[in-house]
Amino acid sequence: MRRLHTLFLIIGLLILVQGQKVSAEPWVEDFSDENLDSWIIKHPDPILNTWQAQKGHLDYNFTFPIGKLFFRYTDILEFNGFPLNTEKLNVKLTIIDTFNSMVGIVIGQYTENNSNNWRSTYKFFQRSIWSPMDFPGQQPETQFDIDKDFEIIFNKGHFQLRSEGKHILEFNEPNLPTINCLGIIAYVDQKRLANFQVDDFVISGPKTLDIRSKGKAAVLWGELKQK
């Protein structure tokens, strides 16, 4: 009987460990789904810009009409693969190439009945950070240069920026104890032609639940919920 009890205990531990391994899988967007089912193009304008998943990466192309005055242009590709409301989150984006443009990560909170993704979010670019309009000036005045990948670690209002495994900067934002808004941001500063390519948008966090997101075939990371 004791041997049988020990056997059941070992089997139970193996099942528990295996379950933890499954639940720890990150959500990985490799942009193999050309329909961008886990994303929302907030301001579609085929004359000015296109977001397109093709050949396993995300292409952004900007073309300014000839004969018009130049202006600065910003656009956000918003993540909506699953409901998001969390105190802790890691997100990583791999950069392939950029031309006349900046690319980065939007992270923060929605405002105005979950319709505005601008006022209460930070925009992490390759060489600078834009602070939220609703509470500006919290981020450190630090110059940096990122060429390959962003990694943002969020923990109850504390932001840490890393690139290629190296620490870049960190700061606290008391107005953001949780986040529910995430996306990729494009910025073009008075250029007629601009583009970039990115890949592997990876989300991970402390609490997971196996789900599938809007038809995506790959194994996905689960729904985050505030504790």
Side-chain angles (χ1 to χ4, degrees):
M1 181 65 69
R2 183 174 297 176
R3 289 181 179 178
L4 187 59
H5 179 270
T6 303
L7 179 61
F8 282 135
L9 180 60
I10 293 173
I11 293 174
L13 288 173
L14 289 174
I15 292 173
L16 177 61
V17 170
Q18 184 64 30
Q20 288 176 341
K21 288 181 179 179
V22 171
S23 66
E25 287 292 327
W27 190 97
V28 179
E29 172 64 270
D30 59 6
F31 297 107
S32 59
D33 181 359
E34 296 184 358
N35 295 320
L36 292 175
D37 288 332
S38 297
W39 304 85
I40 297 176
I41 301 174
K42 296 297 289 187
H43 304 103
D45 189 342
I47 296 176
L48 285 178
N49 64 79
T50 59
W51 298 88
Q52 185 176 7
Q54 59 180 356
K55 298 181 180 179
H57 58 263
L58 176 68
D59 287 354
Y60 176 80
N61 292 285
F62 176 88
T63 304
F64 194 78
I66 296 175
K68 293 188 177 182
L69 296 176
F70 285 124
F71 64 96
R72 296 179 175 88
Y73 187 81
T74 306
D75 196 17
I76 294 175
L77 183 68
E78 185 178 297
F79 176 75
N80 75 329
F82 48 82
L84 185 67
N85 186 25
T86 182
E87 295 178 338
K88 297 181 181 181
L89 180 76
N90 290 18
V91 58
K92 186 175 180 179
L93 175 67
T94 301
I95 303 170
I96 299 175
D97 192 23
T98 62
F99 173 72
N100 283 344
S101 62
M102 291 197 301
V103 57
I105 295 174
V106 175
I107 182 170
Q109 294 179 351
Y110 288 105
T111 57
E112 300 176 6
N113 298 321
N114 290 344
S115 62
N116 190 307
N117 58 16
W118 188 263
R119 297 192 62 89
S120 297
T121 55
Y122 277 93
K123 293 84 179 171
F124 287 80
F125 286 102
Q126 296 155 278
R127 294 165 185 81
S128 63
I129 303 173
W130 294 0
S131 60
M133 297 173 64
D134 284 347
F135 29 90
Q138 298 288 348
Q139 83 278 12
E141 297 295 332
T142 304
Q143 293 183 346
F144 55 91
D145 194 352
I146 292 176
D147 290 323
K148 188 175 181 180
D149 66 62
F150 287 89
E151 183 179 3
I152 300 172
I153 302 171
F154 173 81
N155 186 357
K156 299 179 182 180
H158 181 82
F159 287 91
Q160 181 182 165
L161 175 62
R162 298 175 63 86
S163 179
E164 300 182 60
K166 297 180 181 179
H167 177 270
I168 304 296
L169 58 84
E170 57 186 300
F171 62 93
N172 289 309
E173 176 50 79
N175 297 290
L176 288 176
T178 63
I179 62 167
N180 60 15
C181 181
L182 198 60
I184 300 172
I185 186 169
Y187 176 67
V188 180
D189 187 1
Q190 302 184 70
K191 302 293 184 181
R192 190 169 297 280
L193 298 175
N195 60 71
F196 61 72
Q197 295 82 41
V198 297
D199 197 7
D200 290 350
F201 189 89
V202 182
I203 306 172
S204 58
K207 185 177 181 180
T208 62
L209 174 67
D210 264 352
I211 62 170
R212 293 195 173 270
S213 167
K214 300 189 177 180
K216 189 176 177 63
V219 176
L220 303 180
W221 183 69
E223 181 179 4
L224 282 170
K225 294 183 179 179
Q226 180 181 352
K227 293 182 179 180

